[in-house]
Amino acid sequence: MSSNDVKLNGDHLDELHRFRTAGSVQISAELFEKLYLTPQTVVKGELRKTFGNPTPIGLVGFLIALTPLSCELMGWRGATSSGAAGIATYFFFGGLLQFIAGLLEWVLGNTFPSVVFCCFGAFFFSFGGTLNPNFGAYAAYAPAGEPASAGLATRGFNASFGFILLWMGVMTLIFLVCSLRVNICFFVIFLSLLLALIFLTVAYWLLADDIVGNAGLASKMLVTAGACAFVTCAAGWWIFFAIMLATLDFPVQIPVGDLSRFIKPGGLQKRLQEEV
């Protein structure tokens, strides 16, 4: 083997190593936030040299669960707003994939996306369980002698489910504030999702009040919530596409609007390093 061949093989291995290890390349803050959805100054770890990036896994779970649901809420092509057709999707995409991604983000030290994925994974598990007849969630509200599905129309069920959506909205509001340190796409995701949860809460509480005319207004609230959720998904698909392009070092990159440089860190990372 000639010296030129040895040099070429060495260059090839160096290039391969550059693609396989995130720690071997100095990446910009914007690219870091695009890949990991967490400010670069918050956490640094050696595990990224060994493990892949779990962020797109969590995004796929979130998007495949929420995008069809948003279309159903808007009634596209005659779909109904019950969401029952997607029960399996809520369990395996919305719940399982996001929960796995959240645990992997935790292993890598990415606290913010870990909390986000685990929380919304748990929500989709709960949502799927509520709609699943085997869980008996709405059957418990059905009047005596009537089928289990009658529980979905009762005041007790709709009022109670509205409280779940309300506190999911409070959690999303906290995520919205925190996303000001990440990127514009993440901010749009949480802003539109917060609006969707507000409209859903109003819709279920309107149904719970059982006043003539409320059903029509509640239906409009559900459609509006679906439209807001669709905006959430549009921003989510955008950032998912951006992450996949960046992951493969694609020559064309799309921006996500890095915000971490506008709100400066509070110095926690520096203090932790000084203590060590």
Side-chain angles (χ1 to χ4, degrees):
M1 182 180 292
S2 67
S3 60
N4 287 336
D5 291 335
V6 173
K7 183 177 184 301
L8 288 174
N9 287 335
D11 292 342
H12 176 72
L13 290 175
D14 289 343
E15 186 67 14
L16 183 62
H17 183 70
R18 185 177 76 86
F19 275 99
R20 288 185 174 179
T21 60
S24 62
V25 185
Q26 293 296 324
I27 61 177
S28 66
E30 181 176 4
L31 180 56
F32 188 94
E33 271 85 61
K34 184 186 294 184
L35 288 171
Y36 293 103
L37 303 182
T38 191
Q40 189 175 24
T41 55
V42 171
V43 61
K44 295 180 181 179
E46 298 297 316
L47 290 176
R48 294 189 187 90
K49 297 179 181 179
T50 304
F51 296 103
N53 180 13
T55 301
I57 298 175
L59 281 173
V60 165
F62 179 78
L63 292 170
I64 295 298
L66 186 61
T67 308
L69 179 59
S70 67
C71 297
E72 292 172 17
L73 289 172
M74 290 185 288
W76 287 1
R77 298 190 62 82
T80 62
S81 58
S82 66
I87 290 177
T89 306
Y90 306 143
F91 277 121
F92 294 104
F93 276 94
L96 185 61
L97 274 190
Q98 284 197 91
F99 198 71
I100 291 174
L103 291 179
L104 293 175
E105 294 278 14
W106 175 77
V107 169
L108 293 179
N110 300 328
T111 303
F112 181 54
S114 172
V115 174
V116 170
F117 286 140
C118 284
C119 287
F120 281 106
F123 170 74
F124 275 106
F125 269 134
S126 304
F127 185 55
T130 301
L131 296 178
N132 191 327
N134 294 326
F135 280 67
Y138 52 82
Y141 293 89
E146 296 190 21
S149 58
L152 291 168
T154 61
R155 178 173 189 173
F157 175 82
N158 287 292
S160 300
F161 195 73
F163 278 111
I164 298 174
L165 296 171
L166 172 66
W167 290 105
M168 282 297 299
V170 172
M171 183 187 71
T172 303
L173 176 61
I174 295 173
F175 290 155
L176 173 66
V177 175
C178 294
S179 68
L180 290 170
R181 282 273 289 134
V182 186
N183 57 56
I184 293 175
C185 284
F186 229 33
F187 180 80
V188 171
I189 286 174
F190 287 124
L191 177 60
S192 54
L193 186 58
L194 174 61
L195 293 175
L197 289 167
I198 290 173
F199 285 118
L200 284 173
T201 303
V202 172
Y204 276 93
W205 282 351
L206 284 172
L207 292 173
D209 284 342
D210 193 26
I211 300 175
V212 177
N214 271 10
L217 182 57
S219 179
K220 293 179 180 178
M221 292 293 102
L222 290 175
V223 173
T224 306
C228 293
F230 193 80
V231 174
T232 302
C233 296
W237 284 111
W238 178 271
I239 198 169
F240 172 72
F241 188 33
I243 290 174
M244 294 307 295
L245 290 178
T247 299
L248 295 173
D249 200 18
F250 213 76
V252 178
Q253 299 291 317
I254 57 177
V256 295
D258 175 35
L259 295 174
S260 62
R261 62 180 180 270
F262 296 107
I263 300 180
K264 301 303 179 182
L268 175 61
Q269 184 71 21
K270 183 178 179 181
R271 292 196 298 271
L272 290 175
Q273 289 176 349
E274 290 176 350
E275 290 178 2
V276 175

